[in-house]
């Protein structure tokens, strides 16, 4: 007879499989042909013996393969060893960590920073430690799972405002005495940007903190993301696993906030510190991205090329201007089918399904990087247009015709 847990696991997995929502890992290998010319050709990997162009990574500037950064990690490991060996308050905090914290503060204008091994733990630690049952917090409907989990654990009352709606946010701020408003700089699944300047003004008016998860904006988004960031944003969470191409995260804010987290954030106190080698790498990657603005320019050119080709081919994008280009299909199984067919053409894009996105909005999440070659972007869009019409996903013209008819 099966145990209670075995029965539960089997039933849940069966239900997920039926709905096309089962998640499975794919073992990816290195494309050795590519590595001879590392950072100057489209990102690729090998899956089951075949090479694919990767249109689903968050390595927006292509930094994960830059030889100088490979060398920085190597040097960091030679200098400090491969691990931190302890939690930060024991003996896991080194001058490599401090140097990275200082660099991040110089870049953003915040007083102090605290490093975590991932953005997920930075967000959950921040939310759980900062808030309790006496706080009311308002957050954009689409904020990341790590923020929601942390808020739930904190016991704070959570009020959600309509995605990117200033009116909806203002209504909540006017109605409740809120401790903070939380949003993302670039939304991870939609690719659109929050109105940071306007939200900041709103928060100032209502004497509430603005907390921004900058995972997908840091090192790529111009505008607020400079030494003035701290004037607009009270707490900024940056991650190193996206545009910086490496791993880890930081919470940036006032010295008082960081001291408070050091003494109270369980994820920080009771966990092995980010390795100093990784801290040295993230510092090198931060400096590299600042010293090479042409990478951001190349990324913008690649985004513009992709959008133009999609427009010409009537491929119905969501309208994002960032590296994250979603194409809503709706049905989860059909989304998987489109992704599979693109794979048959050597193009790998993410198929994003509920609960990562709302039910009925399953989508392809196509991400562009500075490292993509124009011919690969062109091939990607050509295949997209073909596969969509083969599978029966309406193109822009057909969607418009259906709307006009309604
Ligand atoms: C908006 C956002 N915040 C936080 C995270 C978590 O960051 P990390 O991947 O470093 O754990 C992610 C990662 O997917 C994200 O998209």
């Amino acid at each position: 007879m099966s145990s209670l847990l075995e029965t539960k696991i089997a039933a849940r997995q069966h239900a997920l499989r039926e709905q096309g929502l089962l998640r499975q890992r794919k073992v990816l290998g290195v494309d050795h042909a590519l590595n001879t010319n590392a950072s100057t050709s489209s990102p690729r990997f090998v899956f089951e013996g075949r090479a694919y162009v990767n249109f689903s990574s968050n390595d927006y500037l292509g930094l994960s393969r830059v030889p100088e950064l490979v060398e920085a990690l190597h040097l960091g490991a030679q200098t400090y060893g491969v691990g931190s060996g302890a939690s930060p308050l024991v003996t896991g905090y080194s001058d490599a960590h401090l140097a990275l914290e200082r660099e991040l503060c110089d870049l953003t204008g915040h007083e102090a920073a605290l490093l975590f091994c991932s953005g997920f733990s930075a967000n959950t630690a921040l939310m759980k430690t900062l808030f309790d049952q006496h706080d009311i917090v308002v957050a954009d409907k689409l904020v990341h799972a790590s923020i929601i989990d942390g808020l739930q654990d904190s016991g704070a009352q959570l009020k959600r405002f309509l995605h990117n709606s200033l009116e909806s946010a203002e209504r909540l701020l006017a109605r409740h005495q809120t401790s903070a408003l939380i949003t993302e700089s670039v939304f991870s699944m939609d690719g659109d940007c929050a109105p940071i300047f306007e939200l900041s003004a709103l928060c100032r008016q209502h004497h509430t903190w603005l907390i921004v998860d900058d995972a997908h904006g840091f090192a790529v988004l111009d505008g607020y993301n400079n030494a003035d960031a701290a004037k607009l944003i009270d707490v900024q969470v940056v991650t190193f696993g996206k545009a910086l191409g490496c791993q880890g995260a930081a919470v940036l804010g006032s010295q008082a906030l960081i001291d408070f987290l050091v003494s109270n954030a369980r994820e920080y106190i009771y966990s092995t510190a980010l390795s100093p080698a990784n801290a040295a790498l993230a510092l090198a990657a931060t400096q590299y991205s600042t010293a090479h603005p042409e990478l951001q320019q190349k990324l913008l050119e690649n985004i513009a090329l992709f959008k133009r080709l999609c427009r010409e081919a009537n491929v119905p994008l969501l309208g994002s201007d960032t590296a994250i280009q979603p194409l809503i299909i709706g049905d989860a199984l059909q989304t998987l089918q489109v992704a599979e067919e693109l794979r048959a053409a050597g193009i790998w894009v993410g198929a994003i399904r509920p609960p990562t996105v709302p039910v009925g909005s399953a989508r392809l999440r196509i991400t562009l990087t500075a490292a993509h070659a124009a011919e690969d972007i062109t091939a990607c869009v050509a295949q997209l247009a073909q596969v969509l019409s083969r599978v029966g996903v309406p193109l822009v013209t057909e969607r418009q015709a259906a709307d006009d008819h309604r």
Side-chain angles (χ1 to χ4, degrees):
M1 213 179 94
S2 309
S3 70
L4 270 181
L5 285 179
E6 280 165 345
T7 310
K8 180 171 84 177
I9 288 169
R12 292 212 181 151
Q13 290 293 88
H14 178 74
L16 289 176
R17 191 175 293 111
E18 290 290 293
Q19 298 161 62
L21 300 180
L22 199 64
R23 292 164 192 257
Q24 284 167 313
R25 295 178 295 174
K26 308 250 183 329
V27 185
L28 307 183
V30 172
D31 182 355
H32 291 287
L34 169 79
N35 271 1
T36 53
N37 196 10
S39 58
T40 52
S41 54
S42 287
R44 279 173 221 278
F45 53 73
V46 169
F47 175 60
E48 293 180 344
R50 176 168 185 193
Y52 295 86
V53 182
N54 186 357
F55 281 97
S56 54
S57 99
N58 300 321
D59 182 14
Y60 303 126
L61 299 178
L63 296 192
S64 72
R65 294 181 294 136
V66 165
E68 288 95 317
L69 298 181
V70 173
E71 188 49 36
L73 180 61
H74 186 211
L75 190 63
Q78 270 183 339
T79 310
Y80 295 95
V82 293
S84 62
S87 57
L89 302 189
V90 181
T91 55
Y93 183 63
S94 71
D95 49 3
H97 298 94
L98 179 64
L100 173 59
E101 289 174 0
R102 289 202 168 136
E103 177 77 13
L104 295 171
C105 289
D106 285 349
L107 266 183
T108 57
H110 289 285
E111 274 175 16
L114 196 65
L115 303 179
F116 288 85
C117 292
S118 74
F120 202 102
S121 61
N123 273 337
T124 49
L126 176 66
M127 303 301 151
K128 277 168 61 176
T129 315
L130 201 50
F131 303 118
D132 59 31
Q133 68 276 21
H134 303 297
D135 292 295
I136 302 176
V137 175
V138 304
D140 189 286
K141 272 261 188 230
L142 297 189
V143 291
H144 192 255
S146 52
I147 295 174
I148 301 299
D149 284 10
L151 287 172
Q152 273 169 357
D153 284 356
S154 77
Q157 255 192 70
L158 171 60
K159 311 276 177 196
R160 316 288 295 270
F161 59 91
L162 295 177
H163 177 51
N164 272 346
S165 164
L166 287 170
E167 293 74 31
S168 173
E170 180 153 33
R171 261 198 306 279
L172 288 178
L173 291 180
R175 197 176 306 152
H176 305 281
Q177 183 146 39
T178 47
S179 302
L181 181 148
I182 306 172
T183 191
E184 290 178 18
S185 55
V186 175
F187 283 85
S188 58
M189 293 300 136
D190 286 42
D192 53 352
C193 300
I196 296 293
F197 290 93
E198 292 83 352
L199 285 172
S200 175
L202 206 56
C203 287
R204 296 288 174 261
Q205 197 186 325
H206 289 271
H207 306 289
T208 195
W209 271 15
L210 174 61
I211 301 181
V212 176
D213 178 347
D214 198 16
H216 296 275
F218 187 62
V220 275
L221 210 59
D222 257 352
Y224 75 87
N225 215 338
N226 51 41
D228 284 340
K231 292 191 188 133
L232 294 167
I233 301 168
D234 298 286
V235 189
Q236 187 175 356
V237 176
V238 300
T239 63
F240 314 140
K242 321 279 187 212
L244 293 188
C246 37
Q247 179 136 40
V251 174
L252 305 166
S254 67
Q255 188 67 54
L257 168 75
I258 299 306
D259 291 345
F260 174 70
L261 293 176
V262 167
S263 289
N264 296 285
R266 295 166 69 82
E267 283 83 350
Y268 190 71
I269 299 168
Y270 300 114
S271 182
T272 301
L274 180 75
S275 79
N278 268 302
L281 168 62
L283 173 62
T286 305
Q287 291 168 339
Y288 191 93
S289 72
T290 313
H292 292 274
E294 74 280 5
L295 290 176
Q296 280 153 11
Q297 192 49 42
K298 184 71 194 341
L299 174 62
L300 289 176
E301 283 167 24
N302 280 349
I303 296 168
L305 172 66
F306 178 79
K307 289 186 66 171
R308 178 172 63 74
L309 293 172
C310 283
R311 211 169 31 247
E312 287 166 7
N314 279 321
V315 171
L317 298 175
L318 203 56
S320 145
D321 289 323
T322 68
I324 302 167
Q325 292 290 325
L327 192 163
I328 308 266
I329 292 178
D331 179 66
L333 287 170
Q334 201 177 33
T335 305
L336 281 181
Q337 191 190 348
V338 173
E340 284 296 329
E341 296 223 8
L342 285 169
R343 267 173 219 169
I347 290 160
W348 196 287
V349 304
I352 312 290
R353 295 158 288 155
T356 308
V357 292
V359 173
S361 74
R363 65 195 65 186
L364 299 181
R365 179 180 183 270
I366 304 151
T367 50
L368 296 156
T369 75
H372 279 113
E375 61 266 28
D376 288 318
I377 295 173
T378 308
C380 173
V381 176
Q383 286 301 329
L384 252 179
Q386 276 181 33
V387 170
L388 291 178
S389 56
R390 196 160 62 236
V391 171
V393 175
L395 298 176
V396 171
T397 39
E398 293 151 310
R399 289 185 187 204
Q400 266 161 6
D403 283 349
D404 294 345
H405 194 66
R406 233 174 261 138

